[in-house]
Structure formats: structure tokens, C-alpha cells
Amino acid sequence: MTEETTGLRELKKQRTRQTLSETAIALFLERGFDQVSVAEVAAAAEVSKPTLFRYFPAKEDLVLDRIADHQGEAARVVRGRAPGESPLAALRAHFHARLDARDPVTGLCDVPAVLAFRDMVYSTPSLQGRLMRYAAEDERALAEALAETGADEAAARLAAAQIIAVHHVLARDNWQRLASGPVTAAVLDAAHAGAELAYELLGAGLAARGL
Amino acid sequence: MTEETTGLRELKKQRTRQTLSETAIALFLERGFDQVSVAEVAAAAEVSKPTLFRYFPAKEDLVLDRIADHQGEAARVVRGRAPGESPLAALRAHFHARLDARDPVTGLCDVPAVLAFRDMVYSTPSLQGRLMRYAAEDERALAEALAETGADEAAARLAAAQIIAVHHVLARDNWQRLASGPVTAAVLDAAHAGAELAYELLGAGLAARGL
DNA sequence: AAACTTTTGTTACTCGGTTGCATTTTACGT
DNA sequence: ACGTAAAATGCAACCGAGTAACAAAAGTTT
């Protein structure tokens, strides 16, 4: 899946990249995103500052790299849906499944490290901003996938925007639920109920347009 | 409507604020947001750099101040709707009305200055980011207003997210329509049709929840 | 091993944004 | 009208993110 041009150099690059991201996140979690300078991160990772920026175009990307693998997930789900299944049904089923798996993207993951990570992201405006821009790309990709199903292109864009927006609300709700304590059966039920409500709201209108 | 503590000082402050914003936008439109430094703006407005930042917390706010009056418009529309009218119906009617008025917020305004302004915003990532954060506040306010109607709070948050997201798509679509030329009858019709489609998609699901 | 390419480090820079303090300007009591 | 407190400004110096230029040190290829 990933590029594999030449052996040794590429390996070292991957390693430096990972080291940078990991030491950065560790420092950020320890003392706060804004309280740690990139110079410190570079020093801790034993790399010069320009090198750091060759790997990550901005400080925020040191953090969000970890999330980047989920890029375009919604679009993939739509494209990989079972024959005969509507895009929305596929997305709903997928979301419920991720919920059961306590996938961090759903917000429903009480592993301390993940929780601390989310706290940091939600409490740091610049990280939120960057995250929204990732979301915009997600939305664009989803709109494309929906349009491929033969739906009206305008409708596809509108639907994609609604779906992505709703997912964020759900994730945030779930994250808030975890403020009170760990994932219990009741919390899981509430999360599923929230998702059902969301897809119910989405569904009625979108179903009429074949989505 | 605005604060009016003491007469003369406040007036001068308002004037400096406006001068700053106007000279900034003029310079930005002329040479691009990233190609003009805040020091230049401050100099052009005959003000020191710290003073500039006392008025505007960030460079982006020099631009977006102009848009800030629309903050919370959706929430206001919901709160000010006619008795018996559903929130969604009020929002739909309002949007169509703004469309007919060629309100810049709908994207359907071909006044050259407005057009250039939007081009700048859409082509400058940092401005987009700031704009999204304004939108988040809009969304929060709308959710609050919807919850006041007695709807389920979770549903209100979900609906608000959908509505705000959809509005942005509509505005972007309209802006793209204007890339080809001025607002003709056909363009206006298309914009109205787009809005109708959007509210149709929203409506089915939301109506069932009393929104 | 030599020649070539890619990556890195060093230094120095620009720019957005802040801080501390002295200076001016406005408001207000007498 | 005058003097004083409060607020706003300017100045200078500073911090941190991000970049440019160039030299040094890899890794790759023959």
C-alpha cells in the first residue's frame, strides 16, 4: 500500500517520522500543546528544527498524523458496501460496528492515553482547526463516492456534509459521556441510541434520493 | 444596540477599528492575504503593531470582522419565527429571502468587491480555518435555540450540525455558480432549487422530531 | 572506491503575536 | 479651568513557528 522505493533510506525516514510524532505527542500530553516548542520536540527527537519541518509541515501535524490513516474512511465504506445496500445503510452499520469496537474515531474509547489525547485535541484551538480541515477533505471524498452511486451531484455534496457533520457530533457526544467514567453497558447503549437517532434524522430525507 | 459607555473615547476606538479593518482588507485584496504583513497594515493605518493586536486578536480577524455581524443568525431566525411555524420552515424561508436579496452570506452576490473578498477567503487556508471556527459557534447557538423549542437536546445538536453544514455547501455552490458570470435569472433559479433540495433532504427526518 | 543524489545540520532570517514600560490622551472631580 | 486617575498608545525587545541558503554527511549506484 505504501511506497517502497529504496530499502534503507526509506526505513530510516519512517523511523525518524515515527520518533518525531511519538516524542512530540508524549511531550504535548505531559505539558500541553502550547507549552512545548517545536525546538524542544526537535531536540528531544535528536533532530534539527528544519528536519522536523521536512517531515511535518506544521506543528499540528505532529499530533494529527496519528489520525490521518482514517482519512477518507466514510468514502471507503460507501465504495466497499455490499451490493444492493444503500450508502447510508452501509455507513450506519459501519458506525455501529466501530462503536462496538470502541474505535477512537467514534469517541467511545476509554483507554487513558486515547482519552488524554482527545482532551488535548478538543482543548487546543489550533488542533481543532487542523482537524476541521482534515474533515473537509473527508467530506469532499465522501461526496465523490456518493456521486459515483449515480445520485445527483448536488444532493451528494449536501448529503456528505450532513453525514460528516453528524459524525462529529456523535463523536463529541460520546467523548462527553466518557467524562463521567469508563465505558459501561449503559454508555454503550446510549451511544448506539445516539447513532440511531442520527441516522434516523439523516435517513428519511436521504432515502428519498436513493442514498 | 452597542455599548455606549463614554462618548469620545469610544468613538475614536470604533474609528480606529474600522480604519484598521478597511485598510487591511484593501491591502489584502490588492496583493493577497499572505503577501501583506501585519506590520504593513499597521503602518498603513498609522498605528503601532501592538495597538493593532489590541483591536484584533489575530491577523485573520482583520478580515473576518466584517462577517462577524452575521454571527448567530440561524439561531436568531429560529427564535424569531412566527408562532406555529417550525424552526426548519423558518430557516428555509429566511434562506430563500436572503437569496432574493443577494445577501453575501448565501454566496449569491456578484458585486465585484464582494466576489473578490470571497475569492480571497476561499483561497486562503488560514482564513477558512478561522471561518470554520465562527461556524462552530453558529452551530452551538443554533443547537441551543432548537433545544429551546422543546426538542430533544441530542436531536437539536444533530439538526444544528446538519443545517449549518448544508448552508455552507449551498453558499459554496452559489459562489461557484458566479465563477462563470453574473447573477442571471437562471442562476437565481438554480440557487433556489439547490436550497429547496437541501431543505427537502433535511426536512423529512427533522420534521418527524418536531423540528 | 568514485561519482551522484538525497537527507541533514547550521545559521540566519521573516513574520505573527506578546510583554513591559514610558508617554500621551481622555475623563472626571474639585 | 486645573490636576489627577484611568485608559489607550507607542516603543523596543522578545518568543515561537516556519523558511532559505549552503555546507556537511549520509546512502545509492556503477
Side-chain angles (χ1 to χ4, degrees), chain A residues 7-18 55:
Chain A
L8 204 146
R9 188 130 64 188
E10 216 58 24
L11 185 140
K12 283 201 173 184
K13 287 214 298 182
Q14 275 180 302
R15 196 161 291 168
T16 328
R17 183 183 186 82
Q18 193 175 341
Y55 282 89

Side-chain angles (χ1 to χ4, degrees), chain A residues 9 13 47-48 50-51 54-55:
Chain A
R9 188 130 64 188
K13 287 214 298 182
V47 153
S48 77
T51 296
R54 274 176 208 121
Y55 282 89

Side-chain angles (χ1 to χ4, degrees), chain B residues 33-52:
Chain B
F33 182 79
D34 296 315
Q35 272 61 58
V36 179
S37 74
V38 292
E40 269 183 278
V41 174
E46 295 175 345
V47 152
S48 78
K49 196 169 59 150
T51 295
L52 184 153

Side-chain angles (χ1 to χ4, degrees), chain B residues 44-89:
Chain B
E46 295 175 345
V47 152
S48 78
K49 196 169 59 150
T51 295
L52 184 153
F53 281 111
R54 276 178 205 118
Y55 283 90
F56 299 92
K59 187 184 184 186
E60 290 79 23
D61 295 308
L62 283 164
V63 172
L64 299 177
D65 193 52
R66 170 173 301 186
I67 291 179
D69 357 327
H70 292 281
Q71 270 284 80
E73 184 165 335
R76 274 195 305 277
V77 169
V78 168
R79 290 209 175 90
R81 73 191 188 280
E85 193 180 26
S86 82
L88 201 65

Side-chain angles (χ1 to χ4, degrees), chain A residues 116-131:
Chain A
F117 186 85
R118 269 203 119 65
D119 284 352
M120 174 176 71
V121 172
Y122 279 148
S123 67
T124 308
S126 68
L127 284 176
Q128 289 217 81
R130 205 72 165 194
L131 210 54

